[in-house]
Amino acid sequence: MVVRLDARRMNPREVVRRLRRPKGFLSREVRSAVRRVVEDVRERGDEALLEYAERFDGVRPDPLRVPPEEIARARDSLPEEIAEAFRASAANVRRFHERELDLSWELELAGARLGQRVRPLRRAGIYVPGGHGAYPSTLVMTAVPAQVAGVKELCVCTPPGPDGRPNQRMLAVAGLLGVEEVYAAGGAQAVAAMAFGTESIRKVDKIVGPGNDYVTAAKLEVFGEVGIDAPQGPSELLVIADGTARPEWVALDLMAQAEHLSGASSVLLTPSGDLAGRVEPLLSGRPAEHVTLVLVRDLDQAVELANLYAPEHAHLFCAGAEALLERVEAAGLVAVGDTSPVALSDYAAGPSHALPTGGTALWASALGTHDFLVRINHMRFSREGLGSIGPHVERLAHLEGFENHAASVRVRLE
Amino acid sequence: MVVRLDARRMNPREVVRRLRRPKGFLSREVRSAVRRVVEDVRERGDEALLEYAERFDGVRPDPLRVPPEEIARARDSLPEEIAEAFRASAANVRRFHERELDLSWELELAGARLGQRVRPLRRAGIYVPGGHGAYPSTLVMTAVPAQVAGVKELCVCTPPGPDGRPNQRMLAVAGLLGVEEVYAAGGAQAVAAMAFGTESIRKVDKIVGPGNDYVTAAKLEVFGEVGIDAPQGPSELLVIADGTARPEWVALDLMAQAEHLSGASSVLLTPSGDLAGRVEPLLSGRPAEHVTLVLVRDLDQAVELANLYAPEHAHLFCAGAEALLERVEAAGLVAVGDTSPVALSDYAAGPSHALPTGGTALWASALGTHDFLVRINHMRFSREGLGSIGPHVERLAHLEGFENHAASVRVRLE
């Protein structure tokens, strides 16, 4: 059931090794299975896409692209209370990402004007997982940052249900957000279709969004041909709590994360044996198998472990939480204080719930507008600017043996 | 020799297809060769790293890590004129990237305080190519943005020469920049060593920097285990020029780009048959084989083609160049006007010369501080904030079947 670990005298790397779940999308078996699917869709287009749909989803979606009427119908049939909740969610996600958005800028340097133009991608592909459940909230969390960034064309792929159609709630949210291009296509084959283009699905510039190991491996496989966001695996929560935390609340937060099952991981780091003892009996059922309770020496050790583990979500549930936040160096999202359950950010707080997992928070960030932008650097030199920098450039070009580089500067100085 | 293309009546996609060079790092042969090297270094560490050095570089570097005295000696033996040129380059690169740097921010939303903490990576790996030539300028263009971002640990790998030591100019620049950790290790094996760690080279969080097809394929192979920047292939320049451009200058810019050879590509798009006719005889030698002169209807068609081709470098060499820049949607770096040869940016203008190639400018940007940062989102809700958003979150969690998510919110509202 619940795993307990006394880390007070353990080497921190060993603790993290024990907590870490394997990344299935990196496994050789998954990668080579996916490679075949990707190559096949690349070569045979829709025909291969539909064959794999039949094999993996048990159905050949017809039509592949969801007609506008189907999206409008789904949107109109959404209960008003639910529509309102999605609108509130989208509004917060929009405001958060408007603040995040990078802007173009210019800079004068001696005799030169340099700058960076920040531009939206022209066409982005979004994968929204389905299958066991349906996650219309994921469409909010991926499409809204893209819209804020200014991406004109959004191409959404999501797996068909047994009836060959995507989940109706997902379509309803597409309708609410004004997303018009949705395909009933899932798995590695959908990723390949967006990467290379087929008769029905036009090639995109970049593919984002979470998925299972096959979807993620397919994104890694097509990276270079198109852009992708950082790989996202099973969900994780790391709670740092002391004796001031309410055991009932901590237990529910751990259970909430753990109920994602399939590789999900909930970890409590606490110096309070009393808290751990009171949390444990509140954990039950299959989610409890995904919880680890770790006894640490103090909050310093907890932060040290958190920074090595680099969790997707962290929750600071202790005295001095704000000061502790300043010491967190690697985490996708940090919830601070006892009235900020992580579930808020899963659905509506503002930051995207598409977050780095499995330790990738060491180098990756939450999905955001930056995933949907490119930066075009530019420069223009005056004759004076050229005169002051040109001789340096000539010398360095000579040094590296690029005589035409040097000549292209020299001819303008003569 | 020089390829000429009359694109005035051609389909734009066909023109771009003719201009595009293959991406060797995506080839199945390169990928599977690299996969074996990567796995081997992962399993056997330094032993494998040294064996591959012997096989591919013809030498077993000893010691692998360059001693501080060797770096200091190289720095001190740099002619003052060259040292001054590198210092001028580094100063401009630093100022450009200081302006680019993203900052942390906070935002108040009804009853909630949300924010994003921008943090440097803790440990970044930089690959600096060597082999045929040596490119100390590449160390400036990658290490300085990392330093501006605040990365504390920089781990540089660069291939050994026949004497088992890295290029002395490269070491000199490391000394000038205060980069202390340099290894005589190149190729896919160096990338694998940085990704997984060996006895001598400690694992990094992310690997950046250009390299040959094997290096780039190795980066793609280890992506997910560590972060990487966008893949970079052979260099490209696309010049848009009209009848006002000086043929001699245009020709030298094309030759400068083309002298990188090995897959490099220089393209001139011009509506002026006269310009093309006067440029052609100025192109000579092996670089000329890498130049394509394209006749277009007008500057509108030139921009359309540029945006499909998404060049690494563009040079606007025509009337109304600034207005044209506003219409460029995809390019790594754009040089504007006739006194701004691209060579300036290769060495010292300020923007990094590590740029997206092969059309990846559709979704990737120049290397910059953003490559060395993570964004940690955070949130704290007041009781009121929780009260206003909580009921929406409960509804959405129910809708997706996550009852513990809903409960973790409800228990705090009671």
Side-chain angles (χ1 to χ4, degrees):
Chain A
M1 290 289 295
V2 176
V3 176
R4 294 197 62 154
L5 194 63
D6 184 344
R8 288 175 297 179
R9 284 184 181 75
M10 285 176 70
N11 175 303
R13 296 200 176 267
E14 172 59 20
V15 178
V16 167
R17 201 190 57 71
R18 300 261 301 260
L19 296 176
R20 188 77 78 205
R21 309 270 163 155
K23 296 182 196 170
F25 55 81
L26 293 182
S27 90
R28 189 168 275 259
E29 295 68 33
V30 172
R31 291 298 282 274
S32 54
V34 156
R35 204 169 293 133
R36 283 192 298 276
V37 174
V38 168
E39 277 304 312
D40 204 14
V41 172
R42 179 182 196 164
E43 279 162 27
R44 299 195 297 124
D46 279 350
E47 198 181 313
L49 180 62
L50 287 166
E51 279 175 25
Y52 287 111
E54 192 158 23
R55 190 188 311 173
F56 298 128
D57 303 318
V59 66
R60 289 173 82 91
D62 182 20
L64 265 172
R65 177 161 178 182
V66 181
E69 315 81 70
E70 195 177 334
I71 293 177
R73 208 160 46 234
R75 183 197 60 213
D76 295 342
S77 68
L78 204 60
E80 181 47 31
E81 228 179 29
I82 300 290
E84 200 191 318
F86 276 121
R87 276 193 293 263
S89 163
N92 285 349
V93 176
R94 196 169 293 121
R95 286 167 72 180
F96 184 86
H97 288 93
E98 281 167 357
R99 178 64 188 77
E100 181 196 59
L101 191 61
D102 288 324
L103 301 175
S104 301
W105 52 267
E106 290 199 352
L107 169 71
E108 302 273 344
L109 268 177
R113 194 153 48 83
L114 308 169
Q116 196 165 68
R117 284 182 66 221
V118 180
R119 297 266 324 153
L121 302 185
R122 287 184 294 201
R123 181 167 168 80
I126 295 180
Y127 188 88
V128 181
H132 299 300
Y135 309 103
S137 61
T138 297
L139 184 56
V140 176
M141 296 293 177
T142 48
V144 172
Q147 291 175 326
V148 171
V151 178
K152 290 276 189 310
E153 294 184 23
L154 287 181
C155 164
V156 174
C157 282
T158 191
D163 61 350
R165 309 316 302 150
N167 175 274
Q168 291 300 302
R169 298 310 191 202
M170 222 287 302
L171 294 182
V173 171
L176 286 177
L177 298 176
V179 171
E180 294 170 354
E181 197 182 336
V182 182
Y183 298 89
Q189 62 272 23
V191 172
M194 290 194 277
F196 298 104
T198 69
E199 298 83 342
S200 299
I201 302 183
R202 202 150 50 77
K203 179 182 169 64
V204 303
D205 295 323
K206 183 169 179 174
I207 302 172
V208 304
N212 65 20
D213 283 341
Y214 292 88
V215 168
T216 302
K219 284 166 61 185
L220 291 171
E221 199 59 33
V222 301
F223 181 50
E225 179 66 35
V226 295
I228 64 168
D229 56 353
Q232 293 158 48
S235 203
E236 304 151 349
L237 168 66
L238 187 143
V239 177
I240 297 181
D242 61 15
T244 69
R246 296 206 205 183
E248 299 75 20
W249 296 8
V250 171
L252 271 169
D253 292 339
L254 294 170
M255 288 288 286
Q257 194 62 32
E259 74 180 328
H260 285 283
L261 300 176
S262 56
S265 187
S266 285
V267 177
L268 171 64
L269 301 183
T270 182
S272 165
D274 180 58
L275 179 71
R278 292 169 66 189
V279 164
E280 185 166 4
L282 303 174
L283 306 170
S284 63
R286 286 183 62 205
E289 296 165 26
H290 294 260
V291 179
T292 307
L293 305 178
V294 183
L295 196 61
V296 293
R297 283 192 304 277
D298 48 30
L299 294 179
D300 287 341
Q301 193 193 8
V303 173
E304 182 189 10
L305 290 170
N307 284 338
L308 277 176
Y309 182 67
E312 181 189 21
H313 305 93
H315 193 157
L316 308 181
F317 218 137
C318 51
E322 289 287 349
L324 219 58
L325 169 63
E326 295 298 313
R327 295 166 57 194
V328 174
E329 292 181 355
L333 177 116
V334 185
V336 183
D338 56 3
T339 51
S340 303
V342 164
L344 297 181
S345 66
D346 290 334
Y347 286 107
S352 176
H353 76 198
L355 291 164
T357 64
T360 59
L362 289 169
W363 48 268
S365 310
L367 190 80
T369 50
H370 49 95
D371 286 296
F372 299 103
L373 297 172
V374 289
R375 301 160 183 244
I376 302 173
N377 291 336
H378 51 87
M379 63 170 191
R380 76 280 298 142
F381 277 75
S382 66
R383 196 159 280 280
E384 298 72 52
L386 179 67
S388 87
I389 200 180
H392 292 310
V393 170
E394 273 194 81
R395 266 173 222 124
L396 297 179
H398 281 308
L399 183 77
E400 294 190 355
F402 288 126
E403 298 308 327
N404 286 301
H405 282 66
S408 75
V409 173
R410 192 173 50 250
V411 69
R412 287 163 160 103
L413 292 172
E414 280 160 3
Chain B
M1 289 290 295
V2 176
V3 177
R4 294 197 61 152
L5 194 62
D6 185 345
R8 288 175 298 179
R9 283 185 182 76
M10 285 175 70
N11 174 304
R13 296 199 176 269
E14 173 59 19
V15 178
V16 167
R17 200 188 59 70
R18 300 261 301 261
L19 296 177
R20 187 77 78 205
R21 309 270 163 154
K23 296 182 196 171
F25 56 81
L26 293 181
S27 91
R28 190 168 275 259
E29 294 67 33
V30 172
R31 291 298 282 272
S32 53
V34 156
R35 203 169 294 132
R36 282 191 298 274
V37 174
V38 167
E39 276 306 313
D40 204 15
V41 173
R42 178 181 198 164
E43 280 163 25
R44 300 195 297 125
D46 279 349
E47 197 182 314
L49 180 60
L50 288 167
E51 279 176 25
Y52 287 112
E54 192 157 24
R55 190 186 313 171
F56 298 129
D57 303 319
V59 66
R60 290 173 81 93
D62 181 19
L64 265 173
R65 178 163 177 182
V66 181
E69 315 82 69
E70 195 177 336
I71 293 177
R73 209 162 43 234
R75 184 198 60 213
D76 294 343
S77 67
L78 204 60
E80 180 48 32
E81 228 180 30
I82 300 290
E84 199 191 316
F86 276 122
R87 276 193 293 262
S89 164
N92 284 349
V93 176
R94 196 169 293 121
R95 286 166 72 179
F96 184 87
H97 288 93
E98 281 168 356
R99 179 63 188 79
E100 181 196 60
L101 191 61
D102 288 324
L103 301 175
S104 301
W105 53 266
E106 290 201 351
L107 170 72
E108 302 274 342
L109 267 177
R113 194 154 47 85
L114 308 169
Q116 196 164 68
R117 284 181 67 219
V118 179
R119 298 264 325 153
L121 302 185
R122 287 183 294 201
R123 180 167 168 79
I126 295 179
Y127 188 88
V128 181
H132 300 300
Y135 309 103
S137 61
T138 297
L139 184 56
V140 176
M141 295 293 178
T142 49
V144 173
Q147 291 176 326
V148 171
V151 178
K152 290 276 190 308
E153 294 184 23
L154 287 181
C155 165
V156 173
C157 282
T158 191
D163 61 350
R165 310 317 302 150
N167 175 273
Q168 292 299 303
R169 299 308 191 202
M170 222 286 302
L171 294 182
V173 171
L176 286 177
L177 298 176
V179 171
E180 294 171 355
E181 199 182 334
V182 181
Y183 298 89
Q189 61 273 21
V191 172
M194 289 194 278
F196 297 104
T198 68
E199 297 83 343
S200 300
I201 303 184
R202 203 150 49 78
K203 179 182 169 65
V204 303
D205 296 324
K206 184 168 178 174
I207 302 172
V208 305
N212 65 21
D213 283 341
Y214 291 88
V215 169
T216 303
K219 283 166 61 182
L220 292 171
E221 198 59 32
V222 301
F223 181 50
E225 179 67 33
V226 295
I228 64 168
D229 56 353
Q232 293 158 47
S235 204
E236 302 152 349
L237 167 67
L238 188 144
V239 177
I240 298 181
D242 61 14
T244 68
R246 298 206 203 181
E248 298 75 21
W249 296 9
V250 171
L252 271 169
D253 292 340
L254 294 170
M255 286 289 285
Q257 194 62 33
E259 74 181 326
H260 285 283
L261 301 176
S262 57
S265 188
S266 286
V267 178
L268 170 66
L269 302 182
T270 182
S272 166
D274 180 56
L275 179 70
R278 293 169 65 190
V279 164
E280 186 166 3
L282 303 174
L283 307 170
S284 63
R286 286 184 61 206
E289 296 165 25
H290 294 261
V291 179
T292 308
L293 305 178
V294 183
L295 195 61
V296 294
R297 283 192 305 277
D298 48 30
L299 294 179
D300 287 342
Q301 193 193 8
V303 173
E304 183 189 10
L305 290 171
N307 284 337
L308 276 176
Y309 183 66
E312 181 190 19
H313 305 92
H315 194 158
L316 309 180
F317 218 136
C318 51
E322 289 287 348
L324 218 59
L325 170 63
E326 295 298 313
R327 295 166 59 195
V328 173
E329 293 182 354
L333 176 116
V334 186
V336 183
D338 55 4
T339 49
S340 304
V342 163
L344 297 181
S345 65
D346 290 334
Y347 286 107
S352 176
H353 77 198
L355 291 164
T357 63
T360 59
L362 289 169
W363 48 268
S365 310
L367 190 80
T369 51
H370 48 95
D371 285 295
F372 298 103
L373 298 171
V374 290
R375 302 161 182 244
I376 302 174
N377 291 336
H378 51 87
M379 63 171 192
R380 76 278 299 141
F381 278 75
S382 66
R383 197 159 281 280
E384 298 71 50
L386 179 68
S388 88
I389 199 181
H392 291 311
V393 170
E394 274 194 80
R395 267 176 219 120
L396 296 180
H398 281 308
L399 182 77
E400 294 190 355
F402 288 127
E403 298 309 327
N404 286 301
H405 282 66
S408 75
V409 173
R410 191 171 53 248
V411 71
R412 288 164 159 103
L413 292 172
E414 279 160 5

